[in-house]
Amino acid sequence: MQHKLKLLGLVSLLGIFTLILYIILHELGHCIVAVACGAKITEFSILTAHMTYIGGNFTDLEAMWFHANGILFPLIISYVYMIFYQKECANSLYRILSYFVGILPLFSLFAWVFIPIFILKGHTSSDDDCAKFLDIFSVKYSPVLVIVGAVVLIVLGVILMLRKNIIKNFVDVMKVKH
């Protein structure tokens, strides 16, 4: 029972840590593009998961990049992390953290699958990154391309997690011995 509680505590702490790290990378992804476009960052909040800026000169392409980089920056970091993942390492902390680092950005991509579907079905867009991206993208291109791109990125991430044994190693750690 003591082992189960320790494991649950470790999973909870690492889950929270990874979520905070994801928020930082997500907002940092927006900041990178904003600064590259001449903007000045005025606020960066982990607690409310947002950033604000003043100024900047964004073309449509740069505005799309700004909205997409919130998901793409942490996703790229996640993929690089997984490429260098050491599957032989038996450390529980490493295995649990690696699972969260891999899975969290992949789950975030599901918004980039479902929001375009809702928009194609005639629902009004929301005020999130994907909807803002689609407001510009959909003028010339079909939202179906965004769906396909997101699905491809999800599949690639899952394949990477399977090939590197990240999922298997996480499951092995979660098997509680009695």
Side-chain angles (χ1 to χ4, degrees):
M1 184 65 159
Q2 177 100 9
H3 178 70
K4 287 181 186 180
L5 287 175
K6 282 175 95 173
L7 186 60
L8 181 62
L10 184 60
V11 168
S12 299
L13 281 173
L14 290 175
I16 292 167
F17 171 78
T18 310
L19 181 60
I20 292 168
L21 179 62
Y22 176 82
I23 291 168
I24 291 168
L25 293 174
H26 176 97
E27 299 307 329
L28 187 59
H30 292 310
C31 289
I32 290 168
V33 176
V35 169
C37 292
K40 179 182 176 192
I41 307 304
T42 57
E43 186 176 3
F44 187 99
S45 174
I46 298 166
L47 207 51
T48 57
H50 81 279
M51 56 78 67
T52 56
Y53 62 90
I54 57 172
N57 188 12
F58 295 82
T59 64
D60 282 350
L61 182 62
E62 290 164 337
M64 286 190 303
W65 185 250
F66 173 81
H67 296 301
N69 209 36
I71 182 63
L72 291 177
F73 188 66
L75 187 68
I76 290 166
I77 300 293
S78 172
Y79 283 3
V80 170
Y81 178 91
M82 289 190 289
I83 287 168
F84 292 102
Y85 176 75
Q86 301 297 310
K87 57 183 156 187
E88 301 81 22
C89 181
N91 182 287
S92 296
L93 181 109
Y94 180 68
R95 288 181 170 193
I96 295 167
L97 178 65
S98 298
Y99 175 77
F100 284 131
V101 165
I103 207 76
L104 190 58
L106 295 181
F107 272 110
S108 297
L109 274 170
F110 280 101
W112 291 75
V113 174
F114 293 114
I115 290 172
I117 290 172
F118 294 144
I119 290 172
L120 285 169
K121 299 260 184 205
H123 299 283
T124 58
S125 63
S126 60
D127 192 33
D128 73 338
D129 292 331
C130 181
K132 289 176 183 176
F133 176 90
L134 285 167
D135 285 344
I136 303 165
F137 185 81
S138 298
V139 171
K140 293 184 181 178
Y141 305 103
S142 171
V144 172
L145 293 173
V146 174
I147 297 167
V148 170
V151 168
V152 166
L153 289 172
I154 291 167
V155 169
L156 287 174
V158 170
I159 289 170
L160 188 54
M161 289 183 80
L162 291 170
R163 285 218 169 147
K164 295 300 253 175
N165 289 343
I166 294 170
I167 296 171
K168 178 194 174 300
N169 286 348
F170 175 75
V171 169
D172 287 349
V173 167
M174 298 309 293
K175 291 179 183 173
V176 180
K177 297 167 182 86
H178 298 291

